[in-house]
Amino acid sequence: MVTAVRHLGPHWYAAVMGTAAVATAGAALPVPRVPGLRTVCAAVWALSLLLLLVLLAARALHWAHHRDQARAHLLDPAVAPFYGCLSMALLAVGGGALTAGRAWIGETAALALDAVLFTAGTATGLTAAVAVPYLMAVRHRAEAALATPVWLLPLVAPMVAAAAGPLLVPHLPPGQARQTLLLGCVAMFGLSLLATLLMLPLVFARLITGGPLPLALTPSLFLVLGPLGQSTTAVGAFADAAPGALPAPYDEGFGVFAILYGVPVMGFALLWLGLAAAHVVRARRHGMGFAMTWWAFTFPVGTCVTGAAALARHTGLFVYDGLAVGLYGLLVAAWAVAFAHTARGLLSGTLLAAPRTAPVAPRPVTVRTTSGAVR
């Protein structure tokens, strides 16, 4: 077991995030009660909790017995951004406890679990949002030509915390406690949004000027949907929690903001979804096979489901009901495919094997002819 986890990187938390997203997005669907849906969502959430516990234990073994490899991951510009996934996995499972898991473990246990995971996830996310960009600037020396959507991961983690925090607001004493948590979530929304707006142009410019991403990284284009859908979800959550936490007129202002912000951002999310899907179709035609990057098809789409559900709640428009249901169908299909391939890769051992190194090309040989020309 100790040897098996040597190459277990932080990107594995994406599987936890994607599984939790199926549960939380299903619980948020703005549709009449579907028989069995709550039970299925609770079961999927329980699976995400189990995956989180197993992965936390495996990663603890990784750090304890393979510290050299763990340090190498931190110093690798392609791997370090995935440390944001730890925070988002904690937050996704914690938020799912109140929205989907309480049908299984009860209100009190769900609240306690969410409080613990929200605290741990928020602290981890804020740390990653500072530490990873610092490492990128000081140790990684990342180049703009190598920018990928993976760079967004540590910056999106505080946005996930901002969207998850309002679920806890009604459970706090009225007054300072509720206001502090809610406005703290608004602050995390702002820091994540502004940081994303700084990073996203690099990703888009790289895509336009540098051509398509490598085949294995093409699914990472879906990661851009994460800050878009999650921020729309967050402003909807602010509007839901504000009436019991903030005085007038600020409580009503968040309801207006949820629509004025969410509608255009969701529009851009749909544009990016089309662009990313076109790139994925092209990559599949060029031979793109399964990689753990396929989990990028899950959690970001799940945030768009909850974002569309928030807009349906605050606008009353049926079009957002249909959008949420359609995106949820896409999410479930993507999760099933990613989960099946991951399980197959675990059973065969290929996903836990050391990454293959590229063969070293022979050094060019310079030959000088009798005429003095160089070939």
Side-chain angles (χ1 to χ4, degrees):
M1 176 62 181
V2 172
T3 304
V5 300
R6 174 166 177 78
H7 301 286
L8 188 74
H11 59 283
W12 277 87
Y13 287 111
V16 179
M17 295 161 53
T19 304
V22 173
T24 55
L29 286 177
V31 294
R33 181 169 296 182
V34 178
L37 179 60
R38 287 184 175 273
T39 302
V40 171
C41 289
V44 175
W45 173 82
L47 176 61
S48 72
L49 176 60
L50 176 62
L51 292 175
L52 176 63
L53 294 175
V54 171
L55 191 53
L56 287 174
R59 287 286 294 167
L61 287 175
H62 173 82
W63 272 93
H65 297 278
H66 304 288
R67 198 173 297 272
D68 61 324
Q69 187 70 14
R71 178 176 173 79
H73 284 164
L74 277 173
L75 298 180
D76 187 342
V79 179
F82 284 98
Y83 272 90
C85 291
L86 168 59
S87 166
M88 291 186 279
L90 294 169
L91 291 164
V93 175
L98 277 179
T99 58
R102 64 181 177 183
W104 178 54
I105 62 176
E107 182 82 22
T108 303
L111 179 60
L113 181 60
D114 187 20
V116 171
L117 294 182
F118 173 77
T119 302
T122 300
T124 305
L126 292 174
T127 300
V130 175
V132 174
Y134 174 81
L135 287 174
M136 292 174 68
V138 175
R139 299 299 298 271
H140 299 165
R141 299 294 183 180
E143 300 178 9
L146 301 177
T148 71
V150 171
W151 289 9
L152 295 170
L153 287 173
L155 305 178
V156 179
M159 185 67 78
V160 179
L167 291 172
L168 294 170
V169 169
H171 300 281
L172 293 176
Q176 289 282 331
R178 290 186 181 182
Q179 292 181 20
T180 299
L181 178 56
L182 180 57
L183 293 184
C185 291
V186 176
M188 288 190 289
F189 165 86
L191 74 88
S192 180
L193 177 64
L194 294 176
T196 298
L197 291 177
L198 291 174
M199 188 70 76
L200 189 54
L202 294 177
V203 175
F204 189 64
R206 152 69 183 87
L207 188 64
I208 297 301
T209 61
L213 295 177
L215 296 183
L217 281 176
T218 301
S220 70
L221 289 172
F222 275 70
L223 294 176
V224 176
L225 297 175
L228 302 175
Q230 198 65 271
S231 61
T232 304
T233 302
V235 294
F238 299 158
D240 294 335
L246 299 177
Y250 305 108
D251 56 346
E252 297 178 359
F254 276 105
V256 176
F257 181 58
I259 297 175
L260 294 183
Y261 175 89
V263 171
V265 170
M266 186 56 66
F268 179 67
L270 294 177
L271 169 67
W272 191 273
L273 176 61
L275 176 64
H279 275 265
V280 168
V281 170
R282 174 194 172 276
R284 285 291 288 172
R285 288 177 176 174
H286 285 74
M288 181 186 75
F290 174 75
M292 287 298 287
T293 50
W294 281 34
W295 282 100
F297 297 141
T298 58
F299 185 79
V301 175
T303 67
C304 291
V305 175
T306 54
L311 287 174
R313 240 177 9 254
H314 292 285
T315 64
L317 295 178
F318 296 137
V319 65
Y320 288 114
D321 294 345
L323 178 61
V325 172
L327 289 173
Y328 188 69
L330 177 63
L331 167 62
V332 172
W335 176 83
V337 171
F339 190 87
H341 279 281
T342 302
R344 187 179 300 118
L346 281 173
L347 292 175
S348 65
T350 56
L351 289 181
L352 293 176
R356 289 176 295 179
T357 56
V360 179
R363 298 181 62 182
V365 178
T366 301
V367 179
R368 186 174 297 276
T369 65
T370 54
S371 64
V374 177
R375 292 181 180 175

